[in-house]
């Protein structure tokens, strides 16, 4: 299979005042194939969030290369990174991160605004995706009128609207009860198997990681375990 | 793309109506203040320029000199040295178009049951030409009337109204200091002079009639002053010099001796008055501009708060693919909408207040399109200028930190 992602000797260090920069990632090498479903695990402070930010093109490595779909991300400027996020990536966050002041339909359609898609078309596609995540007819509501599980599904619809190749989810079930967590993870599973979307999920729960096909464990800014598993259905 | 971002901006403003309205209020007040102040300034200017126009153009006034009595020097006109003959001679100078000798005094006028005190001007027919004074009704008096000292009078509108009400005074008889006069003409209204006198509160009669039949005079044949009109604006200086030379010669003033008269250039005085009202209107405008500036700072203040408050929103937008300029435009457009909507309302309010001022206080006001255009343009510029910094701050936010912001 083709590599969608290739990390070579990626390091990241954050400056802290006048002291020398504090290293968070120590030379990470990683390949992720297109269509894979990866769970990244690790304690807080292990560097997994930093890795997610780099994978999500929100941050760039201090050194090393990040090649996404054949392009070296480390060489891109802010606007080029924004274009990559717009065309290739979808984000799902632990705290959903929906805009509270606009309705669900506009939340889902938001990325298309920046792609220059006309309003009518934006709404048509958002409507379609709401159906896909089982929220047909919820478009006119405000995010705070929905349950946590519903909000996360709205966020997933938003992540999908620009037809991304890679979906990044940072603790997507962290704010959900176990029953809705299962719903959300099943939805991720379908997206991976039926739509062929590459999925990377950060979690610290083993039963959530069990949905993935590959498990990577982080400790102190290094990969300490990388195993292939049989995913839960 | 910009249209879509504009829609986002409007949605952002609608989401916080009270704050948007209060921010707008600063601009509304600023723009309204500029409009009102400019209207008042323009009104004063137009009043002065119409007063100048009513005065007549290229005017010189020749006053008789001051007397000296036991070392005490008296004011102008205390020794009447000017005569009607002086005026005639001045009128024949090459650079002078016309000259009119004038005596003026307040006198009581009576018509039937009404009586009224107004200034009575005794002069020659040239007076009306020099002052560019038209008749609304009737005919002016002539050279013949001056020679025969006829008891005829031209009434100004204010004096006529006080004596006759709305009825036409022409053909009627009035008594000035008990001397009967026939009113042969009604003068067209001129309004206020530069010093605020009502120029229409007057009667104009032949010079000789005034001298011989109305005002007793210790120095028969003399006049209070002579007004003269130069042939053109360029001829003013030459006319002044010629009059000086002529009068020194006529009054037999020797080399080194002081003049017994003074020549004044009224046009120069008028220009000074016009300049001072112009300065006043610039000052009013600048004071009002300060409030517009304060309104702009209000926009910046609120936009900065708004950017901080919406840090997370900005982070989300950036994460889903917004570029720096998309964020910049969204916030810049918000500031621009506030200032444009504010200035639209401000223009309306300013026009309203101006009309109210004009109606309530009788202030002369003039609203010009350029004053509206100017305040509109300045408000838009203020919006862009003060909106830019907060918008750039929003666009420069680090998305990772913005997403983590609580």
């Amino acid at each position: 299979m083709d590599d969608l992602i290739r990390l070579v000797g990626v390091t990241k260090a954050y400056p802290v005042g006048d002291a020398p920069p504090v290293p968070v990632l120590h030379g990470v090498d990683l390949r992720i194939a297109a269509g894979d479903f990866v769970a990244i695990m690790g304690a807080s402070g292990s560097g997994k969030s930093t890795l997610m930010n780099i994978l999500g093109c929100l941050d760039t490595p201090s050194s090393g290369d990040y090649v996404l779909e054949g392009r070296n991300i480390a060489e891109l400027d802010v606007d080029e990174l924004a274009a990559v996020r717009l065309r290739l990536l979808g984000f799902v966050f632990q705290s959903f991160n929906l805009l509270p002041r606009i309705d669900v339909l506009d939340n889902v359609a938001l990325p298309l605004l920046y792609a220059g898609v006309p309003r009518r078309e934006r709404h048509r596609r958002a409507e379609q995706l709401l159906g896909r995540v089982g929220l047909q007819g919820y478009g006119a509501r405000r995010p705070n009128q929905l349950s946590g599980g519903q909000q996360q599904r709205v966020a997933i619809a938003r992540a999908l609207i620009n037809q991304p190749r890679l979906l990044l989810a940072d603790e997507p079930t962290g704010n959900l009860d176990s029953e809705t967590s299962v719903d959300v993870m099943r939805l991720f599973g379908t997206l991976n198997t039926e739509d062929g979307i590459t999925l990377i999920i950060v979690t610290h729960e083993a039963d959530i990681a069990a949905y993935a096909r590959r498990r990577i464990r982080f400790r102190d800014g290094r990969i300490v375990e990388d195993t292939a598993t049989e995913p839960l259905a | 793309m910009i249209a879509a971002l504009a829609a986002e901006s409007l949605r952002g403003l609608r989401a916080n109506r009270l704050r948007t309205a209060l921010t707008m209020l600063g601009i509304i007040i600023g723009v309204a203040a500029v409009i009102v102040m400019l209207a008042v300034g323009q009104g004063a200017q137009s009043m002065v320029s119409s007063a100048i126009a009513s005065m007549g153009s290229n005017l010189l006034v020749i006053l008789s000199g001051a007397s000296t009595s036991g070392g005490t020097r008296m004011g102008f006109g205390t020794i009447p040295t000017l005569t009607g003959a002086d005026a005639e001679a001045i009128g024949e100078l090459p650079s002078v178009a016309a000259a009119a000798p004038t005596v003026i005094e307040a006198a009581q006028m009576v018509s039937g049951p009404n009586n009224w005190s107004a200034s009575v001007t005794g002069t020659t027919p040239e007076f009306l030409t020099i002052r560019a004074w038209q008749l609304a009704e009737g005919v002016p008096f002539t050279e013949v009337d001056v020679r025969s000292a006829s008891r005829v009078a031209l009434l100004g509108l204010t004096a006529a109204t006080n004596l006759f009400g709305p009825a036409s005074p022409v053909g009627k008889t009035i008594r000035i200091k008990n001397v009967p006069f026939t009113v042969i003409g009604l003068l067209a209204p001129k309004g206020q002079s530069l010093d605020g006198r009502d120029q229409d509160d007057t009667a104009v009669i032949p010079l000789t009639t005034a001298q011989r039949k109305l005002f007793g005079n210790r120095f028969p044949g003399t006049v209070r002053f002579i007004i003269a009109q130069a042939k053109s604006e360029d001829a003013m200086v030459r006319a002044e010099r010629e009059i000086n030379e002529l009068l020194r010669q006529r009054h037999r003033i020797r080399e080194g001796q002081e003049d017994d008269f003074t020549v004044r250039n009224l046009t120069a005085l008028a220009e000074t008055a016009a300049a001072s009202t112009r300065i006043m209107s610039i000052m009013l405008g600048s004071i009002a501009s300060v409030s517009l500036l304060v309104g702009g700072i209000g926009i910046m203040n609120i936009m900065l708060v708004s950017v901080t408050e919406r840090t997370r929103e900005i982070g989300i937008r950036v994460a889903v693919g917004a570029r720096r300029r998309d964020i910049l435009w969204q916030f810049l457009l918000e500031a621009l909408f506030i200032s444009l909507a504010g200035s639209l309302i401000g223009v309306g309010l300013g026009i309203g207040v101006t009309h109210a001022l004009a109606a309530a206080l009788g202030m002369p006001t003039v609203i010009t399109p350029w004053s509206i255009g100017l305040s509109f343009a300045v408000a838009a510029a203020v919006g862009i200028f003060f909106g830019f910094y907060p918008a750039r701050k929003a666009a420069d936010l680090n998305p990772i930190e913005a997403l983590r912001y609580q």
Side-chain angles (χ1 to χ4, degrees), chain A residues 6 21 113 123 138 145 166 187-188 198 216:
Chain A
R6 191 152 46 88
L113 173 77
H123 282 174
Y138 282 77
Q145 293 171 313
L166 174 62
L187 181 55
F188 278 134
T198 310
I216 295 171

Side-chain angles (χ1 to χ4, degrees), chain B residues 146-313:
Chain B
V146 175
R147 245 177 282 133
S148 59
S150 321
R151 293 192 303 266
V152 292
L154 305 171
L155 276 186
L157 186 65
T158 309
T161 309
N162 279 293
L163 291 171
F164 297 99
S168 166
V170 176
K172 306 251 173 60
T173 302
I174 57 169
R175 299 166 80 85
I176 304 176
K177 287 177 97 174
N178 256 335
V179 180
F181 280 81
T182 308
V183 180
I184 58 167
L186 177 65
L187 293 162
K190 262 193 181 300
Q192 282 188 4
S193 68
L194 277 181
D195 54 10
R197 264 185 318 107
D198 181 355
Q199 300 181 87
D200 300 320
D201 193 12
T202 192
V204 179
I205 60 174
L207 177 69
T208 44
T209 320
Q211 285 172 325
R212 293 177 203 157
K213 299 187 172 152
L214 228 45
F215 309 133
N217 197 325
R218 286 189 295 139
F219 306 96
T222 61
V223 297
R224 282 280 292 278
F225 57 87
I226 297 168
I227 62 172
Q229 185 171 38
K231 283 202 168 124
S232 68
E233 211 181 317
D234 300 333
M236 289 291 279
V237 177
R238 198 145 39 87
E240 213 176 320
R241 200 186 55 234
E242 283 174 5
I243 291 167
N244 251 301
E245 281 165 8
L246 176 82
L247 288 181
R248 283 183 74 89
Q249 192 191 337
R250 284 180 62 88
H251 295 184
R252 296 195 182 79
I253 299 165
R254 280 192 303 274
E255 197 83 23
Q257 228 177 346
E258 230 179 293
D259 291 343
D260 62 355
F261 60 91
T262 311
V263 182
R264 274 196 197 154
N265 183 334
L266 281 193
T267 308
L269 282 176
E271 274 162 12
T272 311
S276 67
T277 46
R278 199 161 50 238
I279 288 168
M280 182 190 87
S281 90
I282 289 171
M283 245 178 63
L284 287 175
S286 345
I287 292 168
S289 308
V290 171
S291 59
L292 197 52
L293 191 73
V294 172
I297 294 170
I299 288 187
M300 175 143 85
N301 194 2
I302 291 301
M303 291 304 295
L304 281 173
V305 171
S306 174
V307 167
T308 308
E309 229 185 40
R310 287 152 73 188
T311 297
R312 204 183 174 85
E313 173 190 329

Side-chain angles (χ1 to χ4, degrees), chain A residues 53 58-59 78-79 82 85-86 91 93 95 97-99 101-102 106 110-111 113-114 116 119 122 158, chain B residues 1 4-5 8 11 15 309-310 312-313 316-326 330 399-400 403:
Chain A
N53 287 336
L58 291 167
D59 208 349
V78 239
D79 281 348
R85 290 196 297 272
L86 187 59
F91 287 94
F93 303 93
S95 51
N97 275 340
L98 299 173
L99 297 185
R101 285 178 188 154
I102 62 178
D106 278 325
L110 186 67
L113 173 77
Y114 298 108
R119 186 180 157 83
R122 292 207 297 268
R158 179 180 67 190
Chain B
M1 192 69 209
L5 290 173
E8 286 296 294
R11 188 146 54 186
E309 229 185 40
R310 287 152 73 188
R312 204 183 174 85
E313 173 190 329
I316 294 167
R317 288 176 185 275
V318 171
V320 302
R323 287 159 302 179
R324 282 194 63 221
R325 62 169 172 276
D326 296 330
Q330 186 188 337
I400 298 165
L403 280 170

Side-chain angles (χ1 to χ4, degrees), chain B residues 88 99 123-126 140-150 206 208:
Chain B
E88 252 170 71
T123 186
T124 56
E126 286 83 8
F141 57 78
T142 61
E143 209 52 58
V144 179
D145 293 314
V146 175
R147 245 177 282 133
S148 59
S150 321
T208 44

